[in-house]
Amino acid sequence: MNFQYILVEPRYEQHIALIRLNRPKELNALCLELMAEVRDALKALDADDEVRAIVLTGNERAFAAGADIKQMAGKTAIDMLLIDQFTTWDTIKKIKKPIIAAVSGFALGGGNELVMHCDMVVASETAMFGQPEIKIGVMPGAGGTQRLTRVVGKVNAMEMVLTGKFITAERAYELGLVNKVVPVELYLEEAVKLAREVAQQSPLAIRLAKEAVLKAYDSPLSEGLEFERKNFYLLFATEDQKEGMAAFVEKRAPDFKGR
Ligand code: CAA
């Protein structure tokens, strides 16, 4: 897959694909073209049966320093409405395969929002998270006020969104924004390790389980539980359920085929 602003390795490892944001001079600022490439790459990997987990990363200095301010600076409200950039983000939200963010350096504004579109997050000790849009006279637009609040709670979200202050990786861990914090030289490796653990499971079970966890974000508990139950029943129609349970009984490792 050839792109201008990202590097994609669909076969980074068996069943694991890697997407690397690659605008280093601009700290991976998320221009519209880069976001369109991320969307297209994710869609292609989602449709690729060999891929069972996707790792999304930047570089050591920056995961992404937010939407491209230079690209937005002169725009009017109507320009922004017509550009309709958030439809791209909506597509990313709908990716069925698990996405693991490997974050080092800045994850700011749209960068932090992109992290929050991922399903799990491994951060380097040097990672910094923030929603600094307030400092440039705007506010988060790709879910920052909503997803962040659901994860870290009202007062913490308010502090980040209203002051624009960054938080450290350690604080992000305390607040539940990231799964683990590791030394900088290990952040990608640890994210891949997590991806490997996910990729060993039944892809169908992973898909329906991801869908069910995400359902918890935007439905009342009773609806979410109903949804979960249907997905649980559905998995008994898969060969992987038969294989997984037979393997347990026979005391051997399962061989999941994704059927
Ligand atoms: N957009 C465009 N360019 C950016 C950028 C951004 N978000 N962030 C950094 N850059 C560019 C800088 O302009 C600079 O380019 P030049 O060398 O051509 O001047 C280059 O990247 C390196 O940046 P700095 O020299 O500023 O590096 P630093 O180490 O001094 O500071 C920083 C790093 C604190 C991250 C600082 O760059 C910064 O504050 N960036 C902006 C962060 C921000 O406000 N993000 C939110 C954007 S709005 C948004 O994301 C809306 C939304 O919800 C979708």
Side-chain angles (χ1 to χ4, degrees):
M1 284 186 224
N2 278 327
F3 293 102
Q4 189 179 352
Y5 297 110
I6 62 175
L7 301 170
V8 182
E9 293 182 58
R11 306 279 177 267
Y12 184 71
E13 249 190 38
Q14 196 191 14
H15 299 317
I16 299 173
L18 180 81
I19 300 179
R20 188 185 285 280
L21 308 179
N22 191 35
R23 274 187 98 194
K25 280 205 231 82
E26 293 82 7
L27 304 184
N28 290 334
L30 304 170
C31 60
L32 297 171
E33 298 78 6
L34 182 151
M35 285 307 297
E37 290 187 357
V38 171
R39 174 201 61 206
D40 292 347
L42 284 171
K43 276 177 73 177
L45 297 172
D46 215 23
D48 181 338
D49 284 344
E50 272 304 300
V51 174
R52 294 187 182 179
I54 301 161
V55 176
L56 177 62
T57 195
N59 56 53
E60 217 172 286
R61 186 162 176 230
F63 177 79
D68 190 321
I69 299 170
K70 291 168 191 164
Q71 194 174 48
M72 288 185 296
K75 297 278 187 289
T76 65
I78 298 303
D79 292 336
M80 293 300 278
L81 181 80
L82 294 175
I83 289 168
D84 191 23
Q85 60 177 315
F86 299 123
T87 297
T88 299
W89 292 72
D90 289 342
T91 306
I92 294 173
K93 188 183 76 181
K94 289 187 189 137
I95 296 298
K96 296 182 178 72
K97 293 195 177 144
I99 308 173
I100 295 152
V103 181
S104 180
F106 300 111
L108 306 175
N112 191 40
E113 289 166 316
L114 186 56
V115 169
M116 290 189 290
H117 276 68
C118 297
D119 302 304
M120 287 179 270
V121 186
V122 174
S124 91
E125 285 166 346
T126 61
M128 301 289 285
F129 300 83
Q131 296 291 159
E133 292 90 340
I134 208 78
K135 294 186 171 174
I136 51 169
V138 289
M139 59 177 276
T145 63
Q146 304 302 301
R147 287 197 181 87
L148 187 66
T149 306
R150 280 168 169 74
V151 177
V152 306
K154 177 182 147 186
V155 297
N156 294 310
M158 283 290 189
E159 188 171 349
M160 287 175 73
V161 171
L162 302 190
T163 69
K165 274 191 302 197
F166 304 163
I167 59 169
T168 62
E170 209 48 60
R171 181 72 181 137
Y173 177 73
E174 284 167 14
L175 292 175
L177 259 183
V178 310
N179 293 77
K180 57 158 58 175
V181 181
V182 298
V184 63
E185 60 278 12
L186 292 180
Y187 75 98
L188 182 56
E189 198 177 314
E190 286 292 328
V192 172
K193 217 186 266 180
L194 200 51
R196 221 176 272 146
E197 286 178 47
V198 172
Q200 280 167 13
Q201 318 304 330
S202 159
L204 288 167
I206 290 285
R207 172 175 164 170
L208 296 191
K210 168 173 169 167
E211 211 177 79
V213 172
L214 290 179
K215 189 80 179 166
Y217 269 97
D218 56 12
S219 63
L221 182 61
S222 56
E223 200 181 297
L225 289 171
E226 197 56 43
F227 187 84
E228 176 190 82
R229 210 160 290 170
K230 298 238 166 78
N231 279 6
F232 177 72
Y233 293 150
L234 184 56
L235 287 170
F236 283 74
T238 65
E239 289 174 24
D240 282 350
Q241 174 266 329
K242 302 287 173 285
E243 167 62 11
M245 294 194 181
F248 176 81
V249 173
E250 292 158 19
K251 299 187 187 302
R252 60 172 174 82
D255 179 17
F256 292 124
K257 297 279 199 292
R259 288 193 291 271

